[in-house]
Amino acid sequence: MSKIGVFVCQCGNNIAATVDTAKVAEEAGKLPGVVHTENCRFLCSSPGQQLVQEIIKTNGLDKVVIAACSPHMHEKTFRKASEAAGLNPFECEIANIREHCSWVHEDPTKVIGTDKSIDITRMTVERVRRNGPLDKIKVPIRKKALVIGGGVAGIQAALDIADGGHEVILVEKEPSIGGQMAKLSETFPTMDCSQCILTPKMVEAGQHPKIKLYTYAEVESVEGYIGNFTVTIRKKAKSVIEELCTECGECTTKCPFYAPNEFDSNMARRKLIYIPFPQAVPAIPVLDRAHCVKYVKDRKKCGVCAKVCGPNCIDFDQEDAFVTEQVGAIVVATGYEVMGVERFPEFGGGRYKDVITGLDFERLASASGPTGGEITRPSDGKAPRRVVFIECSGSRDESKGVSYCSDICCMYTAKHAMLYKHKVHEGQAYIFYMDIRRGGKRYEEFHRRAVEQEGAIYLRGRVSRVYERGGALVVQGADTLSGSQVEMDADLVVLATAVVPRVGAKDLAKRLGISYDGYGFYNEYHPKLRPVETATAGIYLAGACIGPADIPTSVAQGSATAGKVLAMFSADELTREPIVAEVNSATCNACWDCETACPYHAIQREAIKDRAGNILRFAAKVNEGVCVGCGVCVAACHSKTIDLRGYSDAQIYAAICAV
Amino acid sequence: MTRLTRNNLDRWVEALLAERIRVVGPVMQAGQPVYAPISRPSALDFSSVIPRNSIKDFLFPQTETVMLYTIRKTGVEVTDAKPAGGEFPDTVILGARPCDAAGMTSLRAVFTWQGEEDPLFLERLARTTVVTLACVRGDACCFCTSVGLAPDAPAGSDLLLRETVDGNFSVEAVTDKGTHLLARWAQYFEEGAETLRPVIPPPVIERSNVEKMLGWLSDPANYSHEVWSEHAAQCLGCGACTYVCPTCHCFDLTDEGTAYQGDRRKNWDACQFDHFAAHASGHNPRALQSQRWRNRFMCKFHFYPTKFSAAGCVGCGRCIRVCYVGLDIAEMMEKVSACADRQVPDA
Amino acid sequence: MAKWEPKIVAFVCNWCTYAGADLAGVTRTQYRPNVRIVRVPCTGRVDAQFIIKAFESGADGVLVSGCHPGDCHYISGNLHAKRRWIFFKGLTDFLGIEPERIQYAWVSASEANKWARMVDAVTETVRGLGPFTRYHALRQAASEQNGTTMIWSEAWLPGIPDGVPLPEEAAFVPLLREKARELLERGEVKVVIGYGWARRQRRVVPVFITKPDDVARLVFNPLCVNNLAVYLPRKQQDVAKMGKPAIVAKGCDIKTIVVLLQEEQIARDGVVILGVSCSGVVYRQELWQGKLAPDLLSPKCAGCDVKTPHVADCIIGEPAPSAPEPPGPSEAQRQIEALDRKSPAERWEFWKDHFERCIKCYACSQVCPLCYCDRCITEKNNPQWVETSAHPQGNFSWNVVRAIHLAGRCTYCGECDRACPVNIPLNLLNRKLGMVSEESFGYRSGYDEKAHPPMVVFHPDDKENFIR
């Protein structure tokens, strides 16, 4: 039989004014198993807590009920005090007779408050009778991080974690890190050259002793849980033995064949063995097997690259390799794409060569781009006298499936107008817009420059269509401020197409076990208070994979995730609350309702074996490193095989029966 | 012979009811014959072969309170349960079939075994008089004649009635209790001669032999014979057979109540239920349905005679009628008897 | 004698509603003192059993409250809860519990006022309804009860009466036997579970053919009403020990097999499904008089759209006419609609009469292929959520659990109804919850192997109109 102590607090007048605490203590004393009661003025005070501890020790109590304020207030306080007196903290329960009773039933005769307090205390006594000791769960941590995505957000996260003293694996699916930022010409609002500010970070990441770079690689599978992830990475075959390559570039120079360069939006060519751009990190070339004659036609053909390779590191038979890494945390920084022009047949996208996206325009403007930085028309190479920019192409448009604003287009379109003017002095930029959004630091001032200094003409209205007339493009739209239809010639049309999640984002999310929204952007744990965490413990998010974001935001988020990871790595073990589910594997029917219902994917399948190691059947098993103790699985289980420690069926049943 | 006319029977019943004696007899409910307490004699219907339930319901009810408890600071207070009104009702079961009456003898053997007396059962039995109505015919499921009983076997009866061709009944006192009953209600009974209705006893199951079965079942080597699993695959363990059987008596004790008081109840249990034999450790020695079916059969034809010196099966056939998947104990008797034969040398 | 005060038990989630109630305290918002709170981490933790136990413990009303959808501290626990409540409310309304006695709400940590006003409103509503005497009376009856009188349901004879001609076997029976023989001879299966004539009685029973020469025992005719899928789950260890089975299955039985596949009780390659075309079966074999008359048809045959099986390894027999009968409510649906039109008090009386007769034989559970739990909730006694005694309170609790555990899963094979010795119309409860599943979630059980049972998934759009 338990020895329960009940301590009733007067809380000065807060409780005592409307509850006869002596009577509550007296009634509690009549309950079976209650061997001691106290009626105190301020239990949470130092003397109050000392009194509780003394009584626990002298009376040999094994369970304690504190009838006082809300557990949200002082459950921790009293549990700590009980622990100091030798009890397990979970053998102390709080009966809330203040917030839920004395404060809300201010009956001066004290009848109502006392009766209800007696009931609440009794229910708590019956519950605590079924409390058992629970110990915090310790989860070991592997102090190594995985960053998926080598764009600026991923690079920043990797650098910060590595500078914090821990190893990082950075996986990037393109041949080089750099992401979309590497494609940009200049960046708003400072007009820094994108490559100039990015390249030092790329080089640092490539050379950092604590960062291991896997490029032209993808995450194949992820298993495990926070502190203990097992990640399998597929290193796609570059046809180059990386350890031997000296990045001399001979093979790329001597290769006789070309293919369209994806990095330049296919507006220029590259060799078949190539690096995507001059500042690539690593500068290890990749052989494009989709076009190379050796693979497409005949294995005996060509082979020039191998012939000129000094270190002899070309391997035409190289296969994809799989690497397994054990990591403790994962940062997802997989970035974004932009909607392609072919989604805009009304603007001639895909039909007219001179209708391009904003990212394509970046390549034209970029000094290392297909035109060496000259703004020229893709169709004939001539400089355009008039460029029409169409903002909100796809964004804020239900018919294109995108309801949101893409955040960056107003700024980069203004930037494009300025770049264009800098490079084509007699050119004129027209910009069709719906609203101009420039909320960031120095963004407003930047934008005004485009209008006032660079003479960009802004037309508030939408474009209905772009068509060809007499060999020229015609843009038909509206100018709502003047209330007129507008029809104008254009030499080049640039669509600020919507920022969308990358193709394959959902598949990666499924592999990681993180959730995404209807568009495919990844879900944060809480949009305001936990913006870089996911609901899956140990997996963090940075950059545009969360939603459209500019460079400062992406970099800040990259550092933020590093902060989270470094905090986790600062201890040797993760300590988790022991309020977790547990399975009685003897009665599990393996129906997997719990597995389906669990919002955290914390249920695993365990093989039940006989002594010889033969699998007899499967049963559910709770991963205590991931379970957060919501109890959804318990209510889902038909056979009451799974129970929740700390809020067990027995505890709740006892409280209900004592009502 | 002593006889009871149909008219007098009705008047006798009215008199019994007027004395607040509970009268239980076969009635029709929703087209089905059942034993139930009656409030007027016209409810009685003796036309069915056998009612769906057995009379054990009135001596050993499906659920009853054994004791009441209150948990106090000083300890647990326990009081024996008393029936409503303070005492079990005086009861006359009028129209029990002989197989049912014989079943009560078996139950009494269980509830007095080795001097351990179940007061609830014995109290009820003491206050119950069993007036049996002998059968004139059986149906395809009856087999009392294969287990040593007969359409007019007197075992377990206090009075035994037999139908006459005129629609009346001959009356035989079997026990002292029966004699007392006749004496007390003498005004309804008279002397007179009548012709009894002819009786067609159920055919004996040809290849079944209770003694041979007992011998075979007593041999531990046959415990794991394949006949058990061959026969039992379709059993679903629903327990219907147990609940209708006059001699099945297993029960479960359970406490029900709120935090500080409640009652301890005695509820019917069935060895056919999955977890009937499960241990607290989780081990279940009869985890397979075939093992549970074997237990049922052995209990009827071996444990009962060996342990309680009483018949475990009275051949009423209810289990056959009610089985949802067509298991037939008579078929099993044939099979087991055949096994016993095969083991006899020179058979 | 103190004046009666409504007793309301509230199950509130720790993060939102409990904190909202705390805030009411901090702001000294006054409200009625009739609520007793039981704290849970999340409304997703709340089980139907909690609510029933609260009533059994003397509550007059129950309140369940948690975070607003989208705000759940545990992401989606409250969305799971919402789905459960939609089912449970469908059931409790149908059983005749006044809807106002069980209130569901979303109260956030900042909605102190909402909490206080809601407690007031619920208290006064329940006060208007009066004490929940009729539920508490179930307990009274329990303590006074000493023995029940049983009423047994129809059909007393176990077989077709002598003299009545046996039904003709389906034309495809020789093909069925050939197929069975082939499977056994080739060792592809070790046992064929099918229908056959009983040896001593004139009735069709389940048979287990393990030897090729015994296939002649297999039959198919309108008496083949049993749902043989009950032999497939792991629980039936004697059958499992025989080895890989083939099963003769009508379309309705296959619907049950689909649910077993969804719940991974059998693997698709662990059973060979011999689907048979079926034009209807009787409800009671013993009532057979020579031909399949409409009034003998099992209720499950009404509106059948799987006369030709929809999932099978092979289909035996010519496809039966696939167009179902003209649309219109089936008998079960008519009865449900008639009950829905009654008042809660009338519905309560209807179900109370039926549940009083329950003898806790659990035949309904044993014959149900989807009641495959090795240790049933009724067999757990620490704590004992479902009282095992056959008194009105224990019967009510059991039948509620059974219905809610089958919600959205039952395929209406009607075996529970047929097996119940005391004729409780269990099929109406199952079908009612099936209607809730279809109307509220657009989900019909038994057609899609890849689907999840509706009780363990949710859609953010799950519609309801009763949560405060």
Side-chain angles (χ1 to χ4, degrees):
Chain A
M1 180 67 129
S2 285
K3 292 171 90 171
I4 304 174
V6 177
F7 300 83
V8 186
C9 186
Q10 295 165 19
C11 195
N13 258 351
N14 282 310
I15 296 177
T18 55
V19 172
D20 180 349
T21 52
K23 182 137 186 261
V24 175
E26 186 194 329
E27 288 300 311
K30 294 180 188 166
L31 297 172
V34 175
V35 300
H36 189 96
T37 60
E38 278 296 321
N39 176 18
C40 315
R41 200 146 162 72
F42 288 110
L43 268 179
C44 57
S45 65
S46 218
Q49 290 188 53
Q50 270 164 23
L51 177 67
V52 171
Q53 289 172 327
E54 259 168 50
I55 291 174
I56 290 174
K57 288 189 202 138
T58 53
N59 285 265
L61 300 181
D62 59 17
K63 305 270 196 287
V64 161
V65 170
I66 311 281
C69 53
S70 170
H72 284 186
M73 195 81 192
H74 277 312
E75 186 175 72
K76 278 205 170 64
T77 316
F78 288 111
R79 282 189 166 168
K80 253 171 123 180
S82 306
E83 193 174 18
L87 285 189
N88 180 288
F90 290 90
E91 283 163 323
C92 166
E93 283 288 334
I94 314 292
N96 184 342
I97 61 170
R98 188 181 75 173
E99 280 85 337
H100 286 184
C101 189
S102 73
W103 274 349
V104 292
H105 308 309
E106 283 170 355
D107 160 31
T109 67
K110 298 194 189 180
V111 169
I112 294 176
T114 310
D115 279 348
K116 185 167 171 180
S117 297
I118 292 172
D119 282 354
I120 294 174
T121 309
R122 181 183 62 245
M123 285 167 73
T124 314
V125 166
E126 287 310 312
R127 186 211 205 274
V128 84
R129 207 193 286 280
R130 275 87 182 168
N131 280 26
L134 297 178
D135 294 313
K136 288 208 196 283
I137 295 164
K138 302 256 195 308
V139 178
I141 309 174
R142 184 84 174 76
K143 295 188 190 182
K144 197 178 199 180
L146 169 70
V147 177
I148 307 177
V152 69
I155 290 172
Q156 188 63 48
L159 286 173
D160 285 347
I161 298 171
D163 284 343
H166 295 288
E167 288 173 53
V168 180
I169 297 169
L170 179 54
V171 174
E172 164 57 52
K173 77 174 192 212
E174 297 300 328
S176 165
I177 57 176
Q180 303 285 29
M181 191 176 168
K183 295 182 186 170
L184 306 183
S185 57
E186 276 149 53
T187 57
F188 58 79
T190 48
M191 289 308 231
D192 288 311
C193 153
S194 181
Q195 280 289 359
C196 305
I197 56 174
L198 182 61
T199 309
K201 281 199 191 282
M202 286 166 59
V203 170
E204 201 189 334
Q207 293 179 347
H208 201 296
K210 289 216 178 282
I211 298 181
K212 191 189 301 181
L213 213 50
Y214 290 116
T215 56
Y216 206 54
E218 295 188 46
V219 169
E220 184 85 354
S221 69
V222 174
E223 265 154 37
Y225 53 96
I226 182 174
N228 303 274
F229 291 109
T230 302
V231 183
T232 305
I233 298 164
R234 175 195 288 264
K235 291 171 53 175
K236 297 182 288 195
K238 294 183 181 180
S239 308
V240 172
I241 304 171
E242 290 187 61
E243 297 76 23
L244 301 178
C245 176
T246 57
E247 301 179 7
C248 66
E250 273 298 293
C251 52
T252 63
T253 312
K254 295 292 194 293
C255 172
F257 297 105
Y258 293 90
N261 189 353
E262 306 86 347
F263 191 80
D264 283 331
S265 304
N266 297 341
M267 290 190 284
R269 305 184 307 174
R270 57 155 172 77
K271 295 295 179 73
L272 294 189
I273 185 163
Y274 69 102
I275 57 173
F277 52 94
Q279 306 93 329
V281 170
I284 296 173
V286 167
L287 179 58
D288 176 1
R289 290 184 181 186
H291 292 106
C292 173
V293 291
K294 259 200 187 296
Y295 301 91
V296 166
K297 283 211 178 69
D298 183 347
R299 281 310 275 263
K300 295 199 280 289
K301 284 200 180 296
C302 196
V304 168
C305 49
K307 291 182 196 128
V308 304
C309 176
N312 224 4
C313 59
I314 307 280
D315 176 3
F316 295 116
D317 296 319
Q318 192 182 62
E319 284 178 1
D320 288 359
F322 291 93
V323 176
T324 307
E325 294 276 4
Q326 310 286 346
V327 301
I330 299 177
V331 174
V332 184
T334 48
Y336 70 99
E337 315 183 328
V338 294
M339 231 184 228
V341 286
E342 64 286 345
R343 293 286 306 275
F344 303 91
E346 66 273 28
F347 299 153
R351 196 160 65 245
Y352 308 129
K353 281 180 126 175
D354 295 327
V355 174
I356 59 175
T357 67
L359 208 47
D360 299 337
F361 189 90
E362 293 284 348
R363 293 315 298 148
L364 292 179
S366 172
S368 52
T371 58
E374 300 286 327
I375 310 290
T376 58
R377 289 164 28 115
S379 59
D380 59 14
K382 296 211 179 86
R385 292 160 303 114
R386 182 186 280 176
V387 178
V388 173
F389 296 90
I390 305 177
E391 296 204 32
C392 293
S393 294
S395 304
R396 308 174 63 192
D397 188 350
E398 299 269 351
S399 71
K400 296 274 191 253
V402 172
S403 310
Y404 53 85
C405 164
S406 291
D407 191 72
I408 55 178
C409 325
C410 287
M411 288 304 291
Y412 74 61
T413 302
K415 176 184 75 173
H416 290 172
M418 287 198 266
L419 288 174
Y420 168 56
K421 191 71 176 178
H422 292 172
K423 296 177 192 233
V424 182
H425 300 298
E426 67 283 4
Q428 178 61 55
Y430 290 90
I431 301 171
F432 282 91
Y433 72 99
M434 296 210 290
D435 300 279
I436 297 296
R437 286 155 178 200
R438 41 191 184 231
K441 194 167 178 182
R442 302 186 199 92
Y443 282 20
E444 170 67 16
E445 298 90 318
F446 178 86
H447 194 272
R448 291 244 59 90
R449 268 170 47 203
V451 175
E452 288 159 5
Q453 290 175 24
E454 311 295 348
I457 295 179
Y458 274 78
L459 298 162
R460 189 180 182 281
R462 306 204 67 182
V463 169
S464 54
R465 61 190 190 117
V466 174
Y467 56 94
E468 210 173 26
R469 189 176 57 195
L473 289 176
V474 180
V475 176
Q476 188 175 323
D479 174 14
T480 60
L481 293 179
S482 68
S484 51
Q485 291 270 351
V486 168
E487 202 188 55
M488 58 169 60
D489 291 348
D491 294 321
L492 183 64
V493 175
V494 182
L495 307 178
T497 57
V499 166
V500 293
R502 282 195 177 271
V503 165
K506 289 184 188 174
D507 285 328
L508 178 63
K510 286 182 188 149
R511 266 176 267 148
L512 291 167
I514 61 176
S515 60
Y516 46 87
D517 64 16
Y519 301 108
F521 288 118
Y522 297 148
N523 285 334
E524 326 87 306
Y525 196 115
H526 189 285
K528 289 195 285 292
L529 298 182
R530 293 172 77 170
V532 296
E533 296 165 85
T534 62
T536 309
I539 301 186
Y540 306 93
L541 302 171
C545 63
I546 307 176
D550 55 19
I551 293 167
T553 306
S554 303
V555 172
Q557 287 173 341
S559 290
T561 58
K564 295 282 180 197
V565 171
L566 290 172
M568 195 212 306
F569 288 2
S570 66
D572 284 324
E573 284 175 321
L574 273 181
T575 314
R576 307 189 75 239
E577 284 294 295
I579 313 285
V580 293
E582 61 183 339
V583 174
N584 176 358
S585 58
T587 57
C588 177
N589 296 292
C591 72
W592 312 118
D593 274 357
C594 53
E595 188 192 54
T596 309
C598 177
Y600 295 87
H601 307 293
I603 308 278
Q604 297 162 333
R605 300 189 178 201
E606 179 188 36
I608 308 290
K609 300 187 180 148
D610 64 16
R611 280 174 219 220
N614 303 309
I615 295 181
L616 297 172
R617 60 189 178 87
F618 283 84
K621 187 173 160 70
V622 177
N623 182 336
E624 295 185 352
V626 179
C627 174
V628 295
C630 66
V632 171
C633 56
V634 182
C637 180
H638 292 144
S639 60
K640 294 288 176 190
T641 280
I642 193 167
D643 205 352
L644 181 61
R645 283 187 223 146
Y647 286 92
S648 67
D649 264 5
Q651 287 165 320
I652 295 178
Y653 179 93
I656 299 173
C657 285
V659 119
Chain B
M1 68 178 189
T2 315
R3 88 179 163 169
L4 175 67
T5 63
R6 187 61 209 249
N7 277 337
N8 276 347
L9 183 142
D10 286 351
R11 284 195 229 116
W12 179 39
V13 168
E14 277 166 10
L16 289 168
L17 291 170
E19 287 284 309
R20 296 183 171 286
I21 293 173
R22 182 172 68 155
V23 179
V24 172
V27 303
M28 279 300 189
Q29 275 176 3
Q32 294 308 307
V34 295
Y35 287 118
I38 56 170
S39 55
R40 56 188 198 298
S42 54
L44 288 169
D45 183 337
F46 299 120
S47 63
S48 65
V49 167
I50 187 167
R52 187 79 174 231
N53 54 340
S54 79
I55 59 173
K56 87 173 174 190
D57 297 5
F58 306 97
L59 295 167
F60 169 44
Q62 204 279 347
T63 176
E64 67 176 327
T65 308
V66 173
M67 67 183 200
L68 305 155
Y69 63 84
T70 307
I71 303 176
R72 294 199 199 288
K73 183 88 181 274
T74 43
V76 181
E77 280 168 22
V78 166
T79 44
D80 282 339
K82 286 271 174 280
E87 285 173 348
F88 291 118
D90 281 329
T91 306
V92 170
I93 300 181
L94 180 56
R97 289 299 184 193
C99 46
D100 281 318
M104 297 310 106
T105 316
S106 303
L107 283 184
R108 186 213 291 257
V110 170
F111 289 123
T112 52
W113 186 56
Q114 293 195 339
E116 293 289 339
E117 300 196 339
D118 182 325
L120 296 166
F121 176 82
L122 291 173
E123 257 302 306
R124 288 180 199 270
L125 189 60
R127 291 173 180 276
T128 302
T129 313
V130 179
V131 180
T132 305
L133 175 61
C135 307
V136 294
R137 71 188 192 293
D139 66 13
C141 298
C142 289
F143 60 97
C144 60
T145 44
S146 305
V147 292
L149 290 173
D152 64 347
S157 312
D158 295 306
L159 282 183
L160 181 59
L161 307 180
R162 290 183 177 79
E163 291 183 54
T164 68
V165 295
D166 294 331
N168 300 324
F169 307 94
S170 75
V171 182
E172 179 192 332
V174 179
T175 61
D176 286 343
K177 204 193 251 184
T179 312
H180 285 302
L181 191 71
L182 281 182
R184 186 169 168 209
W185 300 100
Q187 65 267 49
Y188 301 104
F189 298 88
E190 57 199 44
E191 290 304 310
E194 283 195 31
T195 319
L196 297 178
R197 281 185 67 183
V199 175
I200 310 168
V204 173
I205 303 166
E206 274 174 40
R207 292 174 285 265
S208 152
N209 183 306
V210 171
E211 282 81 29
K212 273 193 208 165
M213 287 198 311
L214 176 57
W216 189 83
L217 293 170
S218 308
D219 183 352
N222 295 323
Y223 201 61
S224 42
H225 198 281
E226 70 241 4
V227 72
W228 303 116
S229 47
E230 270 167 14
H231 195 82
Q234 72 240 52
C235 176
L236 293 174
C238 74
C241 51
T242 311
Y243 277 29
V244 293
C245 174
T247 61
C248 277
H249 55 266
C250 286
F251 59 86
D252 184 37
L253 290 173
T254 177
D255 292 344
E256 293 171 357
T258 55
Y260 306 110
Q261 63 194 67
D263 51 10
R264 174 160 298 174
R265 301 196 73 96
K266 182 177 166 199
N267 298 327
W268 284 358
D269 205 347
C271 59
Q272 302 305 292
F273 293 154
D274 304 331
H275 285 261
F276 178 79
H279 298 172
S281 64
H283 171 60
N284 186 350
R286 295 206 278 267
L288 269 63
Q289 196 61 50
S290 52
Q291 292 167 328
R292 298 193 278 271
W293 167 248
R294 173 188 64 199
N295 183 73
R296 175 174 174 73
F297 194 83
M298 291 188 74
C299 188
K300 302 267 158 250
F301 293 104
H302 168 27
F303 303 155
Y304 235 115
T306 309
K307 190 163 158 179
F308 303 119
S309 305
C313 176
V314 295
C316 70
R318 285 193 176 88
C319 53
I320 306 174
R321 292 187 193 89
V322 85
C323 180
Y324 175 82
V325 293
L327 277 171
D328 187 339
I329 200 168
E331 204 180 317
M332 198 68 202
M333 289 163 73
E334 287 181 326
K335 280 205 176 131
V336 169
S337 299
C339 289
D341 278 338
R342 265 181 251 127
Q343 286 189 352
V344 171
D346 304 319
Chain C
M1 177 70 168
K3 185 168 99 87
W4 166 72
E5 276 294 322
K7 185 185 268 189
I8 317 284
V9 175
F11 298 100
V12 304
C13 85
N14 178 53
W15 303 96
C16 277
T17 305
Y18 195 96
D22 276 354
L23 184 60
V26 167
T27 55
R28 311 293 195 276
T29 311
Q30 302 293 299
Y31 56 89
R32 304 269 191 286
N34 302 63
V35 158
R36 300 291 176 270
I37 287 180
V38 176
R39 179 165 74 137
V40 291
C42 177
T43 43
R45 173 76 181 87
V46 176
D47 212 327
Q49 262 59 62
F50 293 13
I51 300 176
I52 296 295
K53 199 71 203 162
F55 287 132
E56 287 178 0
S57 302
D60 301 297
V62 169
L63 179 53
V64 187
S65 178
C67 308
H68 288 261
D71 296 347
C72 180
H73 180 85
Y74 300 102
I75 311 168
S76 54
N78 59 354
L79 295 175
H80 282 284
K82 180 164 106 169
R83 216 174 235 217
R84 261 182 227 135
W85 299 346
I86 294 173
F87 271 123
F88 193 59
K89 182 174 164 65
L91 179 61
T92 52
D93 284 357
F94 192 56
L95 292 172
I97 294 180
E98 294 109 320
E100 300 86 352
R101 289 202 190 266
I102 310 178
Q103 301 267 8
Y104 305 92
W106 309 126
V107 172
S108 79
S110 60
E111 289 179 308
N113 215 45
K114 181 174 179 186
W115 168 255
R117 300 293 71 85
M118 186 171 67
V119 171
D120 283 347
V122 171
T123 305
E124 291 317 306
T125 307
V126 172
R127 191 191 301 280
L129 291 172
F132 202 3
T133 335
R134 58 185 192 217
Y135 203 106
H136 304 152
L138 297 177
R139 177 84 197 133
Q140 277 302 102
S143 47
E144 281 164 11
Q145 194 136 22
N146 271 310
T148 39
T149 304
M150 287 167 270
I151 301 176
W152 294 78
S153 59
E154 304 152 31
W156 187 213
L157 297 173
I160 304 167
D162 285 326
V164 173
L166 298 179
E168 263 177 43
E169 300 300 332
F172 58 72
V173 166
L175 287 169
L176 173 64
R177 292 173 180 160
E178 250 328 286
K179 186 74 192 168
R181 174 189 289 279
E182 198 183 291
L183 289 168
L184 287 168
E185 274 173 351
R186 290 215 283 245
E188 282 177 40
V189 303
K190 292 283 191 287
V191 59
V192 177
I193 307 172
Y195 303 95
W197 287 101
R199 294 206 200 283
R200 293 184 77 249
Q201 311 293 341
R202 298 178 92 215
R203 59 183 169 175
V204 168
V205 296
V207 295
F208 299 83
I209 311 293
T210 49
K211 304 194 186 75
D213 288 337
D214 290 343
V215 299
R217 242 193 121 188
L218 290 170
V219 300
F220 194 78
N221 57 55
L223 303 185
C224 296
V225 58
N226 290 58
N227 182 347
L228 299 177
V230 71
Y231 294 109
L232 295 178
R234 286 183 283 271
K235 181 161 105 147
Q236 299 295 338
Q237 294 184 51
D238 284 298
V239 179
K241 279 170 122 188
M242 292 181 185
K244 177 169 171 178
I247 180 171
V248 176
K250 319 186 280 294
C252 48
D253 305 332
I254 291 174
K255 283 205 269 182
T256 315
I257 296 178
V258 166
V259 179
L260 289 173
L261 289 169
Q262 285 174 352
E263 300 178 0
E264 300 194 42
Q265 294 304 300
I266 45 176
R268 183 64 189 89
D269 59 4
V271 61
V272 173
I273 304 177
L274 302 174
V276 291
S277 300
C278 169
S279 309
V281 289
V282 297
Y283 188 51
R284 300 259 177 220
Q285 295 190 42
E286 332 35 65
L287 301 176
W288 177 259
Q289 284 300 319
K291 67 181 199 342
L292 186 57
D295 58 335
L296 286 184
L297 264 184
S298 168
K300 66 184 168 189
C301 297
C304 171
D305 62 352
V306 286
K307 291 191 164 91
T308 307
H310 53 308
V311 173
D313 288 288
C314 62
I315 297 183
I316 308 218
E318 288 303 304
S322 56
E325 288 106 65
S330 61
E331 181 54 36
Q333 210 167 327
R334 266 195 289 273
Q335 286 180 325
I336 291 172
E337 281 163 11
L339 277 170
D340 279 338
R341 283 194 289 274
K342 292 190 175 357
S343 69
E346 287 172 304
R347 279 201 293 277
W348 175 270
E349 283 308 307
F350 176 86
W351 288 110
K352 178 168 95 76
D353 279 344
H354 281 299
F355 291 155
E356 263 175 359
R357 296 199 313 279
C358 175
I359 54 171
K360 293 296 194 66
C361 66
Y362 302 112
C364 49
S365 163
Q366 297 298 109
V367 303
C368 175
L370 300 181
C371 284
Y372 50 71
C373 286
D374 187 49
R375 189 210 53 191
C376 177
I377 184 179
T378 55
E379 290 172 305
K380 182 160 184 191
N381 61 0
N382 187 19
Q384 181 107 50
W385 286 111
V386 180
E387 290 173 336
T388 54
S389 300
H391 48 46
Q393 183 170 278
N395 295 348
F396 199 90
S397 174
W398 160 241
N399 280 284
V400 165
V401 166
R402 197 198 65 84
I404 205 74
H405 277 190
L406 285 170
R409 300 165 65 221
C410 171
T411 54
Y412 324 118
C413 69
E415 294 292 78
C416 52
D417 203 282
R418 195 168 72 92
C420 177
V422 295
N423 230 11
I424 297 174
L426 297 169
N427 206 25
L428 294 184
L429 283 175
N430 296 339
R431 276 194 187 266
K432 173 66 183 174
L433 287 176
M435 283 159 66
V436 170
S437 175
E438 271 184 66
E439 283 157 14
S440 302
F441 314 124
Y443 176 81
R444 272 197 320 163
S445 57
Y447 293 88
D448 177 7
E449 288 166 57
K450 301 274 182 294
H452 286 292
M455 192 69 93
V456 288
V457 292
F458 63 87
H459 198 274
D461 288 344
D462 284 339
K463 297 247 177 305
E464 50 74 26
N465 58 1
F466 58 88
I467 303 180
R468 282 177 184 258

